[in-house]
Amino acid sequence: MALLTLAEAKAQLNITSTSNDTELQVYVDAVGPVIERFIGPVAERIVVETQDVARDGVQVLVLRTTPVVSLTSVEPLLASGGTSYDVGALVLDGDTGIVRRADGGWLRGPLKVTYTAGRGEVPATVNLAARMLVQHLWQTQNASRGPVLPGGGDYSVSEPVAGLGYAVPNRVLELLEPYRLLPGVA
């Protein structure tokens, strides 16, 4: 599952030739980490992390990479023993990454947690945001290759002071807003 394909980017830019495919693919590849910085992983990936839970235990674990699709395993970090937890007996809030025991009991650690983070599919709004971000970056870098919107708008490359541009236009941020990561706790 790709956040954005080369064909989708070319459609957004109204490009029909293949002469810029190699360069444009760099832009397509670059928008993924930018989008994921705001909304978390899109493509599903396996994450293994250590939860430094004290042996006294906690009632919830907070996974670091959200959204979470599924839990694979929750097992003791130390080979010398500890408790493994049946993931079927755990409750996962995929949006927040909060894991707790269904029976209300305590989780004791330290623990190694393996899970799948990402999204089952790319929401249409997120795909559109990626298309618009590629368009913005392509037009600011390659203004001579295509039309620039009247008045410059988000795509102006003739800024009064060099270097005061921005990589992610507000319209892209607004499209991503419903999928934004929750604020973290330091």
Side-chain angles (χ1 to χ4, degrees), residues 64-127:
R64 293 180 191 95
T65 305
T66 58
V68 179
V69 177
S70 63
L71 281 173
T72 305
S73 66
V74 178
E75 52 196 27
L77 180 64
L78 305 174
S80 61
T83 304
S84 288
Y85 296 94
D86 174 9
V87 294
L90 301 173
V91 177
L92 166 69
D93 180 332
D95 291 335
T96 63
I98 293 176
V99 178
R100 62 179 178 78
R101 287 179 47 176
D103 66 6
W106 291 74
L107 296 157
R108 302 184 194 291
L111 299 168
K112 180 175 91 171
V113 182
T114 305
Y115 58 97
T116 302
R119 300 173 188 278
E121 62 183 43
V122 179
T125 307
V126 172
N127 178 266

Side-chain angles (χ1 to χ4, degrees), residues 5-21:
T5 66
L6 179 62
E8 290 169 332
K10 289 174 74 170
Q12 180 72 20
L13 296 168
N14 296 317
I15 295 174
T16 56
S17 75
T18 59
S19 61
N20 294 312
D21 281 6

Side-chain angles (χ1 to χ4, degrees), residues 111-177:
L111 299 168
K112 180 175 91 171
V113 182
T114 305
Y115 58 97
T116 302
R119 300 173 188 278
E121 62 183 43
V122 179
T125 307
V126 172
N127 178 266
L128 177 59
R131 289 173 186 239
M132 292 175 74
L133 182 55
V134 164
Q135 182 177 21
H136 170 74
L137 295 172
W138 184 257
Q139 288 185 335
T140 57
Q141 182 65 24
N142 300 291
S144 63
R145 294 187 185 168
V148 176
L149 297 176
D154 280 349
Y155 306 105
S156 177
V157 293
S158 57
E159 298 166 25
V161 180
L164 292 182
Y166 48 90
V168 183
N170 285 335
R171 65 184 68 185
V172 170
L173 295 174
E174 289 172 3
L175 288 170
L176 296 176
E177 189 60 35

Side-chain angles (χ1 to χ4, degrees), residues 28-91:
V28 169
D29 294 342
V31 299
V34 174
I35 297 288
E36 289 186 349
R37 183 178 126 220
F38 294 100
I39 68 167
V42 176
E44 291 185 5
R45 63 193 68 156
I46 302 297
V47 177
V48 179
E49 70 183 46
T50 300
Q51 289 280 333
D52 294 324
V53 177
R55 290 190 190 277
D56 295 345
V58 294
Q59 288 194 301
V60 298
L61 300 176
V62 180
L63 303 177
R64 293 180 191 95
T65 305
T66 58
V68 179
V69 177
S70 63
L71 281 173
T72 305
S73 66
V74 178
E75 52 196 27
L77 180 64
L78 305 174
S80 61
T83 304
S84 288
Y85 296 94
D86 174 9
V87 294
L90 301 173
V91 177

